[in-house]
Amino acid sequence: MSETTVTIKYGKGYDDTWAVFRGSASEIRADIMEFFGMDPATQAGLSLSSIVTNATQIAHGKALIATALGATVVEETASEPAKPTNDPWAAASAAQSGASPSSASVAEPKKEDPNAWILGEIEKQTTVDGVKRLWANNQAFFSDPAVMAAWKAKGKALKEAGA
């Protein structure tokens, strides 16, 4: 198999940081996920192109945070990110469902669909322009075929309704 080269830039300028990966597609896939700290389970089933797109989003986000906010990277650990103990979103969801907010924050967090949020946002849209904006602002979610199918169905339904 031939060697492939993938370059991911952190910005548009020549002086911006670049990350270059060379090797077979499977080697590059593994290298990119390791380099950007991506969880292989969340990237399972994605093409190399989709993984490059996700990694580019990470690179651009880090560059933007560094340039716009003057932030610097601090120690990165391999451990799982801290889970919020008093999550306002969980409390709001619990309040809507009739449960007490305190029981929602005390309960063990459930493993939920990573696309639940975007699927809910797609469903909330009332105009074709809203659906288009949602896609433009959240492209990383749309590499999942189920999300893309829901988005297309919502857009089609809104278009037929004249919204």
Side-chain angles (χ1 to χ4, degrees), residues 33-119:
M33 286 191 288
E34 181 181 355
F35 185 85
F36 286 97
M38 301 164 94
D39 177 16
T42 63
Q43 306 300 309
L46 296 182
S47 67
L48 177 57
S49 173
S50 295
I51 289 172
V52 169
T53 299
N54 291 344
T56 301
Q57 292 288 30
I58 292 169
H60 288 182
K62 284 183 177 183
L64 181 62
I65 290 169
T67 57
L69 301 177
T72 58
V73 177
V74 296
E75 178 184 3
E76 295 182 35
T77 61
S79 65
E80 198 171 308
K83 292 191 173 37
T85 55
N86 194 4
D87 184 359
W89 295 108
S93 295
Q96 286 180 342
S97 66
S100 71
S102 61
S103 68
S105 60
V106 172
E108 213 31 57
K110 294 181 182 175
K111 181 91 172 170
E112 63 179 50
D113 180 7
N115 294 324
W117 176 82
I118 193 68
L119 292 171

